[in-house]
Amino acid sequence: MERNEMDNDQHYDHLKEELISSERIFDGKVIKVDHSRVKLPNGAEADREIVYHKGAVCLIAVQDHQMLFVRQYRVSTEEFLLEIPAGKIEEGEAPIETARKELREEVGGTAGELKKIQSFYVSPGFSNEYVHLYEAADVSFKPQELDDDEFLDIVKIDLDQLRVELESGAFKDAKTIVAVQHVLATHNL
């Protein structure tokens, strides 16, 4: 995991929770879940349910003054969501490799350059999922190469419309909101 120079855990020991015990209660293909008991900084004990995830990537792709998104149905939210292209990191795969693969699969794109923008935890209150945001440049397109279990549409939104879409609530997931805000800031929109 990458760390920022401002991270310096030694000054925050008074906030640290100490693991007492942990039991794996679910061991799936994508996530693992542990029920853990911790000792709090004040000496009391508490339970924690922690979701472990291998991590993911997401991508900003802008072409011809339009940002590319995918619309897909998410069973977990029971909604059709408008998201940036993304995917989970497979065992032994470097994040940048996953980014290239997901761009090709989801929107048919091949990037001349991929620039890492940011990495962040999605929901650290209960999960260690760490997402790497990349920006694709010099993208050429071919047909999508979706996985057999992927069903999504490509949606292009003019950069001048991004703020309106953001403020209207069109984007509901954190990675997409972070990406749209990045594009708005870097394109002075």
Side-chain angles (χ1 to χ4, degrees):
M1 179 181 324
E2 298 169 22
R3 297 197 56 130
N4 181 314
E5 282 189 34
M6 292 186 66
D7 292 338
N8 192 345
D9 289 344
Q10 66 184 346
H11 299 294
Y12 305 111
D13 285 344
H14 65 285
L15 302 174
K16 190 171 183 177
E17 296 180 1
E18 183 181 321
L19 183 65
I20 297 169
S21 64
S22 189
E23 176 188 3
R24 175 74 26 102
I25 58 175
F26 180 76
D27 194 356
K29 286 193 235 178
V30 178
I31 64 166
K32 298 175 185 335
V33 182
D34 285 359
H35 178 266
S36 299
R37 188 85 178 149
V38 297
K39 182 177 178 183
L40 302 173
N42 66 0
E45 293 184 4
D47 291 319
R48 301 286 185 249
E49 293 173 346
I50 304 166
V51 176
Y52 295 96
H53 187 280
K54 293 176 186 170
V57 302
C58 53
L59 294 129
I60 295 168
V62 174
Q63 181 189 39
D64 300 328
H65 206 66
Q66 294 180 316
M67 187 167 172
L68 273 68
F69 298 87
V70 296
R71 184 180 313 281
Q72 59 188 324
Y73 184 76
R74 295 294 194 177
V75 171
S76 59
T77 61
E78 298 181 345
E79 290 186 64
F80 295 95
L81 295 181
L82 190 57
E83 305 175 49
I84 59 173
K88 65 183 179 305
I89 298 170
E90 300 295 340
E91 192 70 41
E93 194 171 52
I96 196 162
E97 293 171 35
T98 305
R100 288 187 201 291
K101 179 182 73 175
E102 292 299 331
L103 185 65
R104 184 178 62 254
E105 288 177 3
E106 294 200 358
V107 297
T110 302
E113 179 186 354
L114 280 176
K115 177 183 173 188
K116 189 167 190 177
I117 303 301
Q118 186 77 15
S119 296
F120 50 91
Y121 290 106
V122 177
S123 191
F126 67 89
S127 175
N128 75 335
E129 183 179 5
Y130 200 60
V131 175
H132 306 273
L133 173 62
Y134 288 89
E135 187 165 19
D138 302 320
V139 183
S140 59
F141 291 92
K142 296 179 181 175
Q144 293 168 292
E145 297 178 16
L146 297 173
D147 290 335
D148 292 338
D149 63 348
E150 270 184 316
F151 300 89
L152 53 87
D153 290 335
I154 298 172
V155 177
K156 297 177 182 180
I157 298 177
D158 288 333
L159 296 185
D160 296 333
Q161 277 297 115
L162 282 180
R163 185 171 304 283
V164 171
E165 296 294 333
L166 178 66
E167 291 173 358
S168 75
F171 311 115
K172 295 184 178 181
D173 76 294
K175 69 183 182 310
T176 300
I177 292 169
V178 168
V180 168
Q181 289 175 333
H182 173 79
V183 171
L184 289 172
T186 58
H187 288 82
N188 296 313
L189 298 170

